[in-house]
Amino acid sequence: MKNFRIAIVGAGVWGDTHAAIYREHPNVEPVAICDKNVERAKALAEKYGLPRVFSSVDDLLDYGDFEAVSIVTPDFLHADIAVKCAEAGKHMLIEKPLATTREDVFRIVEAVNRNQVRAMVDLHNRFSPPFAEARRLIDLGELGTLQNAYFRLNDIKWVATDMLSWSASSSILWFLGSHSFDTLQWLFQDRVTRVYTVSNRGVLDTLGVKTEDTFLSTLEFSRGGIAQMENGWITPNANPCVNDIKCNLTGDKGMIAIDASNHNLIQFYSDSKVTVPDIIVRNQIHGRVKGFAYESIRSFVDKLASGEPFIVSLEDAARTSLAILAIMESAKNRMPVEIDYGPLA
Ligand SMILES: NC(=O)c1ccc[n+]([C@@H]2O[C@H](COP(=O)([O-])OP(=O)(O)OC[C@H]3O[C@@H](n4cnc5c(N)ncnc54)[C@H](O)[C@@H]3O)[C@@H](O)[C@H]2O)c1
């Protein structure tokens, strides 16, 4: 199997996730970390033994001795970096969402295609055990034809108020809605054609984070399926699960009910709190990284090496960003919106 030298741009919370799996993947030599906050880059370099530190993407690309790059900057800062990396001939794992404007979505797709590089977007819910199993059962025909779905994917307030310094410049739709939308289009194996969304705000505004609290979206698929998607980041901080994940999928022959927040396998109690330790997303067993967040990144390398298609195609990720833009437009105007996929229709 081929080996890849890989660099990481963005040494924040999720850059750490990329570095952890690259350090242990047998086909990866992690060669560099780049962050405009050089102290953060140095800290990650030290933690994972990354040999080179850069504070700008231009300097990283001037060095250039690597084949692939992970782009792990805030949601609205992927496009310029992705286009530069594509122009430099680098394969890319881009964090979700691909981009947050229509122009940026098509700029990236065009640059990837013209430079004949490969790109995957880390829409990792496709690797989550219950959702991967749901897709397997759907493929076996156990549900018949999918008729409707309900997907609730929420975060506790802390994610917007404390974890992300840039939440007010993004949206829960970019941060989690991109996962829910992608999962639904992947399970229905169909295009969403029309969306109708309502939203509200006020809770986070009061806490000093100027962004919407919750979006409720109705999705219509081209073959008649319908789905309801809920995304908010105002569930209480005392919720022992950071993510609140519920999904029901109903076909004409069967139904699947998923509660991915409460795996009920382990709870931890102390005198002051109850927590549900993460054992499926980003955990470690005997010092090795496990969980589907790592599995998605591992799959990027595996498919890069084997030449097989990525589990998440660039086109699906591009359609997800275009759909989220339509959902935002619908929420703003309180009117249904037909999604314009342009050349990706
Ligand atoms: N797959 C998932 O479920 C998942 C989970 C968490 C975060 N993410 C995504 O990962 C991305 C990063 O999120 P995070 O939580 O790590 O954010 P973060 O704020 O912790 O880290 C982002 C880092 O990018 C750096 N940066 C910003 N602009 C830069 C530039 N031009 N050049 C180099 N570095 C730059 C910042 O200094 C910061 O250190 C986001 O797109 C987010 O949505 C994905």
Side-chain angles (χ1 to χ4, degrees):
M1 216 183 224
K2 204 172 163 206
N3 286 339
F4 291 91
R5 281 163 297 188
I6 299 188
I8 301 168
V9 181
V13 175
W14 218 248
D16 186 291
T17 308
H18 288 240
I21 177 68
Y22 288 150
R23 176 175 62 175
E24 82 170 39
H25 197 296
N27 297 107
V28 175
E29 184 191 341
V31 293
I33 176 75
C34 169
D35 197 299
K36 65 177 190 179
N37 178 333
V38 77
E39 293 310 318
R40 210 174 282 171
K42 280 183 188 161
L44 207 72
E46 195 167 318
K47 182 173 177 188
Y48 291 105
L50 302 165
R52 289 168 201 83
V53 170
F54 297 93
S55 59
S56 87
V57 174
D58 290 337
D59 289 348
L60 173 73
L61 290 172
D62 280 347
Y63 157 67
D65 193 14
F66 54 95
E67 291 81 36
V69 60
S70 271
I71 299 174
V72 204
T73 51
D75 294 349
F76 45 91
L77 292 175
H78 297 166
D80 286 348
I81 299 170
V83 169
K84 275 185 185 175
C85 291
E87 300 291 0
K90 309 301 178 195
H91 305 301
M92 295 179 284
L93 176 57
I94 305 168
E95 261 311 325
K96 55 84 213 169
L98 173 63
T100 56
T101 70
R102 186 175 179 82
E103 187 199 354
D104 282 349
V105 167
F106 288 113
R107 267 198 317 133
I108 298 173
V109 172
E110 191 277 330
V112 165
N113 290 338
R114 182 165 40 78
N115 290 288
Q116 298 190 334
V117 292
R118 300 187 63 199
M120 173 176 144
V121 176
D122 190 20
L123 287 159
H124 63 197
N125 212 50
R126 296 186 185 199
F127 296 82
S128 168
F131 289 95
E133 177 62 7
R135 172 64 192 255
R136 195 184 71 82
L137 291 168
I138 289 166
D139 285 350
L140 286 173
E142 298 284 353
L143 274 73
T145 303
L146 264 188
Q147 303 295 321
N148 64 67
Y150 168 73
F151 193 171
R152 171 188 170 103
L153 180 51
N154 293 323
D155 268 345
I156 59 172
K157 292 185 192 101
W158 169 84
V159 173
T161 57
D162 291 77
M163 184 185 120
L164 299 173
S165 58
W166 41 267
S167 49
S169 307
S170 187
S171 157
I172 191 62
L173 281 173
W174 293 123
F175 196 67
L176 288 187
S178 54
H179 280 308
S180 344
F181 185 91
D182 175 68
T183 306
L184 286 166
Q185 72 173 356
W186 178 64
L187 293 171
F188 274 79
Q189 297 168 61
D190 194 6
R191 299 274 160 82
V192 175
T193 54
R194 201 160 75 131
V195 293
Y196 178 44
T197 300
V198 291
S199 65
N200 63 4
R201 63 185 295 160
V203 175
L204 290 174
D205 281 342
T206 308
L207 294 171
V209 181
K210 305 291 174 200
T211 188
E212 280 89 353
D213 294 332
T214 306
F215 292 83
L216 297 177
S217 305
T218 300
L219 315 181
E220 292 179 69
F221 287 87
S222 78
R223 295 196 293 269
I226 50 176
Q228 193 71 36
M229 185 174 112
E230 173 183 331
N231 299 112
W233 40 15
I234 59 159
T235 49
N237 285 336
N239 186 342
C241 308
V242 172
N243 300 123
D244 170 26
I245 310 177
K246 312 279 187 304
C247 182
N248 262 60
L249 302 157
T250 307
D252 50 16
K253 286 201 212 154
M255 185 182 93
I256 287 173
I258 293 172
D259 181 349
S261 349
N262 297 299
H263 48 66
N264 280 331
L265 285 164
I266 176 170
Q267 289 93 30
F268 168 72
Y269 305 90
S270 73
D271 284 334
S272 58
K273 64 178 182 183
V274 181
T275 58
V276 175
D278 170 26
I279 54 168
I280 59 170
V281 184
R282 201 166 57 127
N283 57 310
Q284 296 201 356
I285 298 178
H286 305 306
R288 299 206 62 176
V289 296
K290 304 287 174 188
F292 68 85
Y294 295 117
E295 202 50 54
S296 171
I297 301 167
R298 193 191 322 269
S299 169
F300 166 72
V301 179
D302 292 346
K303 301 295 183 192
L304 206 53
S306 70
E308 294 169 286
F310 294 125
I311 301 293
V312 183
S313 72
L314 181 62
E315 290 71 24
D316 272 1
R319 279 188 285 270
T320 293
S321 279
L322 296 172
I324 297 294
L325 288 165
I327 286 171
M328 287 176 157
E329 184 188 335
S330 175
K332 191 169 157 214
N333 300 325
R334 293 302 200 253
M335 293 292 287
V337 172
E338 305 276 339
I339 305 176
D340 177 4
Y341 291 116
L344 295 171

